[in-house]
Structures are given as structure tokens and as C-alpha cells.
């Protein structure tokens, strides 16, 4: 029986007739291959491509095992009373003492500024590296963890130092972050160090050293 013209018009209106036929799941065109992001090999690690994601995971695993924990020699070191008292003489003496760095880092953690010490330690580790390939990898890791504005552990650096780092990162070296390291060292010296000397933690160490000295006398 022929379909009435009115019913046929309702079934296939002008808008529907102009639309291309829908494709079934079997007829669907295969997805286009992902385009290579031109910044995949850039030093800033700004893109989210799979290559950079794998690289980030590897670097973060390396960071967790190498940069995050305090070295065992600093954790286990027991400072002498004389050494504890010397930390109040100068910030340099504190930072040159493994036990001093350990105690000071714990203090910075209470002030939510532990990243300053982590950055300083990472720069020291970088400066001791001679293998250029390792230098490149560590420099990129340091940039991503402590210099990038996207990092939750970004340290406070002025624009001049940041611009200098960005230029040096084109060809990283063991001294790429020297200016930044000095700036953070100065920041800890002027800002955190005075509060550390008057902190309960340092006072407790002084009292412990005094009681130990009196018991030995």
C-alpha cells in the first residue's frame, strides 16, 4: 500500500533529508592518529603528551628515592654540644653541618618552607655531577620541581634569576642554578635562620647539650 504523501513528509522532513546518513559502529572512520606536540622535547616540560608523562613518572620516582629523604648520615648524626652551640655563631656553620641541616630542615617543615632546603640540596647534588647526560636530567628535574610556576614546591625567585635560568636551560650545566641557589640560601639566612635560633627545637638541643656537658664534668 503506498504511503500517503503527508506521512512520508513527516518521516523525512527537509532538515533530515539534508543530513548525511549516520554511520554504524562498524562503519565509523578510524580515529585520526594523535599529532605530535612540537614542545614534547622542550626543557620546560609544559606539554602533557605521553612522552612527557612517562618522563615525569620516571623523574618523580627518582626524586622520591634520591632527593626527598634526608641522607642517612644526616638522620643518624648526633651533634656534640659544641657543634650545636656553633650553629648560633653563623648560618654557614649550620649549613656545613650534616646534623645542622637535618635539624634545620625539620624546622623548615614546620614553617611549610622545606622546599627551600630541598632545592639547595638538589643544587649541591647537581654541582657534584660530572656526567653531562645526568646533569641534563637532574637540571630538568630541579626546574620542574622547584622553578616551574606549576609546581606546588616552587621556590621564591625574582624575575631576573628566573630569566637567567630559562636561558641557561637551553644548555644545562652543573651551575645552571647557582644564582637561584644563592638567592634561596640568602632567604633562609635572613628569614628562617633567626626564627630557628629562637625555636623550641633548637633551645631543647642547647639544654640537652648543657645537661650532657654537666654530667660529664
Amino acid at each position: 500500500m503506498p504511503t500517503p504523501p503527508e506521512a512520508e513528509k513527516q518521516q523525512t522532513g527537509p532538515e533530515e533529508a539534508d543530513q548525511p546518513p549516520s554511520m554504524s559502529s562498524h562503519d565509523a572512520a578510524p580515529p585520526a592518529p594523535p599529532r605530535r606536540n612540537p614542545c614534547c622535547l622542550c626543557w620546560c616540560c609544559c606539554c602533557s603528551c605521553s612522552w612527557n608523562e612517562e618522563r615525569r613518572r620516571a623523574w618523580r620516582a627518582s626524586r622520591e628515592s634520591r632527593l626527598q629523604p634526608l641522607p642517612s648520615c644526616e638522620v643518624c648524626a648526633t651533634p656534640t654540644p659544641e657543634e650545636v652551640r656553633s650553629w648560633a655563631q653563623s648560618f654557614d656553620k649550620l649549613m656545613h653541618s650534616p646534623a645542622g641541616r637535618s635539624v634545620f630542615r625539620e624546622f623548615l617543615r614546620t614553617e611549610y618552607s622545606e622546599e627551600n632546603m630541598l632545592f639547595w640540596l638538589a643544587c649541591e647534588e647537581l654541582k657534584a655531577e660530572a656526567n653531562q647526560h645526568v646533569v641534563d636530567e637532574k637540571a630538568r628535574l630541579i626546574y620542574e620541581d622547584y622553578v616551574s610556576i606549576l609546581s606546588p614546591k616552587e621556590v621564591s625567585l625574582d624575575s631576573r634569576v628566573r630569566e637567567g635560568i630559562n636561558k641557561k636551560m637551553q644548555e644545562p650545566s652543573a651551575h645552571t642554578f647557582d644564582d637561584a641557589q644563592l638567592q634561596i640560601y640568602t632567604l633562609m639566612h635572613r628569614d628562617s635562620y633567626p626564627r630557628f635560633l629562637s625555636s623550641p627545637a633548637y633551645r631543647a638541643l642547647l639544654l640537652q647539650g648543657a645537661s650532657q656537658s654537666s654530667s660529664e664534668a
Side-chain angles (χ1 to χ4, degrees), residues 65-82:
S65 62
R66 289 199 316 248
L67 294 182
Q68 283 290 77
L70 284 168
S72 58
C73 62
E74 296 189 354
V75 172
C76 300
T78 301
T80 64
E82 293 77 13

PDB file of all heavy atoms in Angstrom, residues 65-82:
ATOM      1  N   SER A  65      63.234   8.716  45.591  1.00  0.00           N
ATOM      2  CA  SER A  65      64.276   7.851  46.144  1.00  0.00           C
ATOM      3  C   SER A  65      65.564   8.599  46.422  1.00  0.00           C
ATOM      4  O   SER A  65      66.370   8.161  47.221  1.00  0.00           O
ATOM      5  CB  SER A  65      64.563   6.697  45.169  1.00  0.00           C
ATOM      6  OG  SER A  65      65.054   7.206  43.936  1.00  0.00           O
ATOM      7  N   ARG A  66      65.784   9.772  45.763  1.00  0.00           N
ATOM      8  CA  ARG A  66      67.081  10.428  45.908  1.00  0.00           C
ATOM      9  C   ARG A  66      66.998  11.785  46.588  1.00  0.00           C
ATOM     10  O   ARG A  66      67.813  12.117  47.422  1.00  0.00           O
ATOM     11  CB  ARG A  66      67.713  10.617  44.529  1.00  0.00           C
ATOM     12  CG  ARG A  66      68.184   9.356  43.882  1.00  0.00           C
ATOM     13  CD  ARG A  66      69.174   9.702  42.793  1.00  0.00           C
ATOM     14  NE  ARG A  66      68.714  10.809  41.999  1.00  0.00           N
ATOM     15  CZ  ARG A  66      68.342  10.712  40.730  1.00  0.00           C
ATOM     16  NH1 ARG A  66      68.340   9.549  40.140  1.00  0.00           N
ATOM     17  NH2 ARG A  66      67.954  11.766  40.055  1.00  0.00           N
ATOM     18  N   LEU A  67      65.995  12.596  46.226  1.00  0.00           N
ATOM     19  CA  LEU A  67      66.008  13.962  46.697  1.00  0.00           C
ATOM     20  C   LEU A  67      65.142  14.178  47.937  1.00  0.00           C
ATOM     21  O   LEU A  67      65.451  15.019  48.758  1.00  0.00           O
ATOM     22  CB  LEU A  67      65.521  14.902  45.580  1.00  0.00           C
ATOM     23  CG  LEU A  67      66.432  14.981  44.353  1.00  0.00           C
ATOM     24  CD1 LEU A  67      65.858  15.980  43.372  1.00  0.00           C
ATOM     25  CD2 LEU A  67      67.836  15.400  44.745  1.00  0.00           C
ATOM     26  N   GLN A  68      64.058  13.414  48.074  1.00  0.00           N
ATOM     27  CA  GLN A  68      63.155  13.668  49.164  1.00  0.00           C
ATOM     28  C   GLN A  68      63.697  13.243  50.529  1.00  0.00           C
ATOM     29  O   GLN A  68      63.722  14.036  51.447  1.00  0.00           O
ATOM     30  CB  GLN A  68      61.808  12.977  48.893  1.00  0.00           C
ATOM     31  CG  GLN A  68      60.948  13.737  47.883  1.00  0.00           C
ATOM     32  CD  GLN A  68      60.425  15.021  48.450  1.00  0.00           C
ATOM     33  OE1 GLN A  68      61.180  15.988  48.542  1.00  0.00           O
ATOM     34  NE2 GLN A  68      59.185  15.070  48.845  1.00  0.00           N
ATOM     35  N   PRO A  69      64.120  12.012  50.713  1.00  0.00           N
ATOM     36  CA  PRO A  69      64.530  11.613  52.053  1.00  0.00           C
ATOM     37  C   PRO A  69      65.833  12.275  52.467  1.00  0.00           C
ATOM     38  O   PRO A  69      66.677  12.571  51.630  1.00  0.00           O
ATOM     39  CB  PRO A  69      64.717  10.085  51.926  1.00  0.00           C
ATOM     40  CG  PRO A  69      64.112   9.706  50.621  1.00  0.00           C
ATOM     41  CD  PRO A  69      64.201  10.910  49.762  1.00  0.00           C
ATOM     42  N   LEU A  70      65.967  12.514  53.743  1.00  0.00           N
ATOM     43  CA  LEU A  70      67.245  13.001  54.246  1.00  0.00           C
ATOM     44  C   LEU A  70      68.272  11.888  54.149  1.00  0.00           C
ATOM     45  O   LEU A  70      67.965  10.727  54.410  1.00  0.00           O
ATOM     46  CB  LEU A  70      67.110  13.418  55.710  1.00  0.00           C
ATOM     47  CG  LEU A  70      66.418  14.746  55.983  1.00  0.00           C
ATOM     48  CD1 LEU A  70      66.117  14.866  57.462  1.00  0.00           C
ATOM     49  CD2 LEU A  70      67.246  15.905  55.518  1.00  0.00           C
ATOM     50  N   PRO A  71      69.502  12.217  53.748  1.00  0.00           N
ATOM     51  CA  PRO A  71      70.539  11.191  53.715  1.00  0.00           C
ATOM     52  C   PRO A  71      70.687  10.541  55.078  1.00  0.00           C
ATOM     53  O   PRO A  71      70.548  11.177  56.114  1.00  0.00           O
ATOM     54  CB  PRO A  71      71.803  11.973  53.323  1.00  0.00           C
ATOM     55  CG  PRO A  71      71.287  13.189  52.625  1.00  0.00           C
ATOM     56  CD  PRO A  71      69.977  13.522  53.271  1.00  0.00           C
ATOM     57  N   SER A  72      70.993   9.250  55.070  1.00  0.00           N
ATOM     58  CA  SER A  72      71.065   8.514  56.328  1.00  0.00           C
ATOM     59  C   SER A  72      72.115   9.087  57.262  1.00  0.00           C
ATOM     60  O   SER A  72      71.946   9.091  58.475  1.00  0.00           O
ATOM     61  CB  SER A  72      71.364   7.040  56.048  1.00  0.00           C
ATOM     62  OG  SER A  72      72.580   6.908  55.317  1.00  0.00           O
ATOM     63  N   CYS A  73      73.207   9.613  56.707  1.00  0.00           N
ATOM     64  CA  CYS A  73      74.259  10.155  57.555  1.00  0.00           C
ATOM     65  C   CYS A  73      73.763  11.375  58.317  1.00  0.00           C
ATOM     66  O   CYS A  73      74.197  11.641  59.433  1.00  0.00           O
ATOM     67  CB  CYS A  73      75.493  10.510  56.721  1.00  0.00           C
ATOM     68  SG  CYS A  73      75.199  11.777  55.465  1.00  0.00           S
ATOM     69  N   GLU A  74      72.810  12.155  57.718  1.00  0.00           N
ATOM     70  CA  GLU A  74      72.279  13.325  58.392  1.00  0.00           C
ATOM     71  C   GLU A  74      71.205  12.934  59.399  1.00  0.00           C
ATOM     72  O   GLU A  74      71.072  13.554  60.445  1.00  0.00           O
ATOM     73  CB  GLU A  74      71.734  14.316  57.370  1.00  0.00           C
ATOM     74  CG  GLU A  74      72.809  14.856  56.451  1.00  0.00           C
ATOM     75  CD  GLU A  74      72.303  16.000  55.587  1.00  0.00           C
ATOM     76  OE1 GLU A  74      71.116  16.298  55.611  1.00  0.00           O
ATOM     77  OE2 GLU A  74      73.126  16.588  54.875  1.00  0.00           O
ATOM     78  N   VAL A  75      70.427  11.912  59.078  1.00  0.00           N
ATOM     79  CA  VAL A  75      69.389  11.479  60.004  1.00  0.00           C
ATOM     80  C   VAL A  75      69.996  10.911  61.274  1.00  0.00           C
ATOM     81  O   VAL A  75      69.538  11.183  62.375  1.00  0.00           O
ATOM     82  CB  VAL A  75      68.480  10.429  59.319  1.00  0.00           C
ATOM     83  CG1 VAL A  75      67.525   9.827  60.328  1.00  0.00           C
ATOM     84  CG2 VAL A  75      67.719  11.052  58.169  1.00  0.00           C
ATOM     85  N   CYS A  76      71.042  10.112  61.118  1.00  0.00           N
ATOM     86  CA  CYS A  76      71.609   9.394  62.250  1.00  0.00           C
ATOM     87  C   CYS A  76      72.662  10.205  63.010  1.00  0.00           C
ATOM     88  O   CYS A  76      73.102   9.771  64.070  1.00  0.00           O
ATOM     89  CB  CYS A  76      72.239   8.076  61.774  1.00  0.00           C
ATOM     90  SG  CYS A  76      71.056   6.964  60.971  1.00  0.00           S
ATOM     91  N   ALA A  77      73.088  11.323  62.458  1.00  0.00           N
ATOM     92  CA  ALA A  77      74.152  12.076  63.102  1.00  0.00           C
ATOM     93  C   ALA A  77      73.684  12.649  64.431  1.00  0.00           C
ATOM     94  O   ALA A  77      72.581  13.188  64.533  1.00  0.00           O
ATOM     95  CB  ALA A  77      74.626  13.205  62.185  1.00  0.00           C
ATOM     96  N   THR A  78      74.511  12.506  65.439  1.00  0.00           N
ATOM     97  CA  THR A  78      74.225  13.076  66.758  1.00  0.00           C
ATOM     98  C   THR A  78      75.221  14.196  67.006  1.00  0.00           C
ATOM     99  O   THR A  78      76.414  13.940  67.200  1.00  0.00           O
ATOM    100  CB  THR A  78      74.354  12.012  67.863  1.00  0.00           C
ATOM    101  OG1 THR A  78      73.444  10.948  67.605  1.00  0.00           O
ATOM    102  CG2 THR A  78      74.047  12.620  69.228  1.00  0.00           C
ATOM    103  N   PRO A  79      74.772  15.446  66.979  1.00  0.00           N
ATOM    104  CA  PRO A  79      75.715  16.554  67.137  1.00  0.00           C
ATOM    105  C   PRO A  79      76.229  16.659  68.560  1.00  0.00           C
ATOM    106  O   PRO A  79      75.527  16.340  69.521  1.00  0.00           O
ATOM    107  CB  PRO A  79      74.871  17.780  66.764  1.00  0.00           C
ATOM    108  CG  PRO A  79      73.467  17.379  67.100  1.00  0.00           C
ATOM    109  CD  PRO A  79      73.384  15.906  66.802  1.00  0.00           C
ATOM    110  N   THR A  80      77.445  17.081  68.686  1.00  0.00           N
ATOM    111  CA  THR A  80      78.019  17.328  70.007  1.00  0.00           C
ATOM    112  C   THR A  80      77.486  18.648  70.539  1.00  0.00           C
ATOM    113  O   THR A  80      77.009  19.498  69.773  1.00  0.00           O
ATOM    114  CB  THR A  80      79.549  17.385  69.915  1.00  0.00           C
ATOM    115  OG1 THR A  80      79.921  18.508  69.101  1.00  0.00           O
ATOM    116  CG2 THR A  80      80.110  16.108  69.302  1.00  0.00           C
ATOM    117  N   PRO A  81      77.562  18.871  71.843  1.00  0.00           N
ATOM    118  CA  PRO A  81      77.115  20.159  72.389  1.00  0.00           C
ATOM    119  C   PRO A  81      77.851  21.343  71.768  1.00  0.00           C
ATOM    120  O   PRO A  81      77.242  22.396  71.521  1.00  0.00           O
ATOM    121  CB  PRO A  81      77.427  20.029  73.888  1.00  0.00           C
ATOM    122  CG  PRO A  81      77.375  18.555  74.154  1.00  0.00           C
ATOM    123  CD  PRO A  81      77.907  17.907  72.908  1.00  0.00           C
ATOM    124  N   GLU A  82      79.141  21.160  71.516  1.00  0.00           N
ATOM    125  CA  GLU A  82      79.898  22.246  70.888  1.00  0.00           C
ATOM    126  C   GLU A  82      79.379  22.541  69.485  1.00  0.00           C
ATOM    127  O   GLU A  82      79.290  23.701  69.071  1.00  0.00           O
ATOM    128  CB  GLU A  82      81.390  21.891  70.830  1.00  0.00           C
ATOM    129  CG  GLU A  82      82.079  21.809  72.180  1.00  0.00           C
ATOM    130  CD  GLU A  82      81.745  20.511  72.922  1.00  0.00           C
ATOM    131  OE1 GLU A  82      81.189  19.591  72.280  1.00  0.00           O
ATOM    132  OE2 GLU A  82      82.051  20.424  74.123  1.00  0.00           O
TER     133      GLU A  82
END
